[in-house]
Amino acid sequence: MKQLYAILDQCTQKQRLLKATRHFRDGIYHRRLRHDFEESESKWILKIYNIQTHPWRDNILQILSWVYLLLTFFEPVNRGESPYVSGTRTYYILTGLELFILGVSLI
């Protein structure tokens, strides 16, 4: 608590209002409070934290996990199956979709 009061003493009225707004949003979204954003110079830390803790992210990841599971039905039986040979349009679409799902899940 002492650190919080020390940070609040150094903040302007506008910064205190922004901090209170962020704490209110954290309470609504059931996120834990973070006091280290005020000490950081980078705005990217706050943006990444908001993306990682947003409630829509969990829903999107759940939908993408079901899509990823359904992609197993489109996998070829063997390497030589004609629609999935490297260089065809179907191959690029399925590979791109798989890479997109894996990329979103890593964020």
Side-chain angles (χ1 to χ4, degrees):
M1 279 309 264
K2 290 181 182 180
Q3 291 175 343
L4 178 62
Y5 287 126
I7 290 172
L8 288 176
D9 287 339
Q10 297 172 358
C11 293
T12 64
Q13 186 68 20
K14 184 178 179 180
Q15 289 172 335
R16 287 182 188 177
L17 184 61
L18 290 174
K19 183 172 181 61
T21 305
R22 185 170 53 83
H23 281 278
F24 183 70
R25 282 194 196 123
D26 288 343
I28 289 175
Y29 293 143
H30 302 289
R31 298 186 289 198
R32 63 185 186 93
L33 298 177
R34 302 274 313 250
H35 299 295
D36 56 347
F37 294 132
E38 287 80 15
E39 299 171 7
S40 175
E41 297 284 328
S42 176
K43 293 182 180 181
W44 285 103
I45 293 174
L46 182 59
K47 289 180 182 180
I48 290 171
Y49 175 74
N50 285 334
I51 290 171
Q52 288 179 342
T53 57
H54 199 278
W56 285 8
R57 181 180 181 264
D58 294 335
N59 297 337
I60 291 171
L61 286 177
Q62 184 177 12
I63 292 169
L64 288 178
S65 67
W66 281 104
V67 171
Y68 192 69
L69 181 67
L70 292 174
L71 279 176
T72 58
F73 292 113
F74 297 108
E75 287 184 359
V77 177
N78 56 35
R79 291 180 70 172
E81 195 172 340
S82 63
Y84 302 103
V85 175
S86 179
T88 61
R89 186 171 184 235
T90 307
Y91 174 80
Y92 287 128
I93 290 172
L94 293 177
T95 304
L97 184 60
E98 184 175 351
L99 290 175
F100 173 76
I101 291 171
L102 291 174
V104 168
S105 65
L106 289 176
I107 292 178

